[in-house]
Amino acid sequence: LYEVGIHIADVSYFVYPNSPLDKRAADRTTSVYLVQKVIPMLPPILSQHLCSLVPNEDRLAFSILLTVKENGEIINEWFGRSVIRSRCRLTYDEAWSIIQTTQSNPTIEDKSRLLEFLPKPEAPFTFQDLQNCLSSLHLIATNLRSHRIENGAISFDKLELNFSFPKPLPVMEKHTNECSTTLWPQGFSVKVRNPAHHLIEEWMIVANQSVARFLFGNFIKRLKGVQPFEITVDTGNNNQKWLGATLRNHSKPDRNRFSQLVISKTLCS
């Protein structure tokens, strides 16, 4: 059995509901990723520091701890707030390079050369620990992906572009007559994906599925006597029924617009 932890920063510890910061973040909705910079939803002190799971620093998080078999079967789930400490930060290419060392049996010289260019995990953990963890995660993720594809999963793989930029070019601001700098794309290339991308994707899917099951189960328990509706699906030989739950987190329907819909339906009948 393996224990896998999936973590996300606990932003709610720093951003209180309906606070000015919360309202500002709601207006922005999301961080905007441009080709040359990021416009963050939250101030940099949060997005880049306190709410960033940087290595070798204790950070507040929401965590899912999963006990799983090698074939991807989940035996146990735990959800809760936590304090985590990342021991090493890797890029996709770095992670895949480490995984490959477990598959190709490199020489001591090749392994030493690789270690020169890779970030070192915080003590007492070693490169071997990092290698073992990534190898296990990759093995289970590969099995999870195979099961999903066999069950008819839809692939959303698409081309992504990387842009290259020359030195900043001076640009005159229309209203201030001051000179600022901007970056114009000089060229582009297709972003190359490797199996490390699939590794992260599979574990994110597992996390989303686990949270969905947890929320659905607790939603049913909290209905306090209200009978949840049933969804009937015609499967050919017999009908199957599942419990359904409607969760709304947006505003209530506008009565006037709803009336227009009723009138339109009446006219079309």
Side-chain angles (χ1 to χ4, degrees), residues 110-128:
D110 290 337
K111 196 170 182 178
S112 299
R113 191 180 302 113
L114 178 64
L115 286 172
E116 292 179 7
F117 298 97
L118 291 174
K120 295 177 175 57
E122 185 184 30
F125 295 93
T126 64
F127 175 78
Q128 187 63 52

Side-chain angles (χ1 to χ4, degrees), residues 10-219:
D10 182 4
V11 181
S12 65
Y13 183 85
F14 301 97
V15 182
Y16 298 108
N18 297 318
S19 65
L21 188 56
D22 182 41
K23 293 178 180 178
R24 181 61 173 168
D27 289 338
R28 293 194 171 199
T29 306
T30 183
S31 296
V32 179
Y33 291 84
L34 304 176
V35 291
Q36 77 278 31
K37 66 177 181 179
V38 177
I39 303 174
M41 181 179 68
L42 295 170
I45 186 63
L46 292 178
S47 60
Q48 298 177 18
H49 297 285
L50 296 177
C51 294
S52 178
L53 304 183
V54 296
N56 308 330
E57 295 285 348
D58 291 344
R59 286 293 183 262
L60 302 175
F62 279 106
S63 298
I64 305 174
L65 298 184
L66 303 174
T67 303
V68 298
K69 292 183 178 180
E70 188 174 288
N71 63 3
E73 180 184 352
I74 298 176
I75 304 301
N76 188 49
E77 300 171 329
W78 179 88
F79 304 86
R81 283 186 163 94
S82 64
V83 178
I84 72 164
R85 187 180 183 90
S86 172
R87 301 295 183 171
C88 189
R89 172 181 283 176
L90 300 171
T91 65
Y92 288 108
D93 289 338
E94 289 169 344
W96 180 232
S97 296
I98 295 173
I99 294 171
Q100 284 182 304
T101 62
T102 65
Q103 301 174 339
S104 59
N105 296 320
T107 63
I108 296 178
E109 182 179 335
D110 290 337
K111 196 170 182 178
S112 299
R113 191 180 302 113
L114 178 64
L115 286 172
E116 292 179 7
F117 298 97
L118 291 174
K120 295 177 175 57
E122 185 184 30
F125 295 93
T126 64
F127 175 78
Q128 187 63 52
D129 295 322
L130 192 61
Q131 190 179 47
N132 292 340
C133 288
L134 285 173
S135 178
S136 298
L137 288 171
H138 175 62
L139 173 62
I140 301 172
T142 300
N143 292 332
L144 288 168
R145 186 175 180 83
S146 297
H147 295 329
R148 283 201 309 112
I149 293 174
E150 289 173 2
N151 292 328
I154 300 175
S155 175
F156 292 100
D157 286 347
K158 58 184 179 181
L159 291 179
E160 293 185 51
L161 299 179
N162 286 328
F163 291 88
S164 58
F165 297 91
K167 295 180 180 180
L169 300 175
V171 174
M172 295 299 296
E173 297 290 347
K174 293 182 180 179
H175 302 293
T176 62
N177 291 325
E178 294 180 357
C179 191
S180 64
T181 59
T182 186
L183 293 177
W184 293 90
Q186 188 178 37
F188 69 91
S189 60
V190 176
K191 187 175 182 179
V192 179
R193 290 167 55 85
N194 61 50
H197 289 83
H198 293 154
L199 184 157
I200 296 298
E201 289 170 0
E202 292 305 319
W203 286 111
M204 289 303 298
I205 291 173
V206 169
N208 290 338
Q209 291 173 335
S210 297
V211 170
R213 284 193 298 267
F214 177 79
L215 292 177
F216 181 79
N218 281 274
F219 178 80

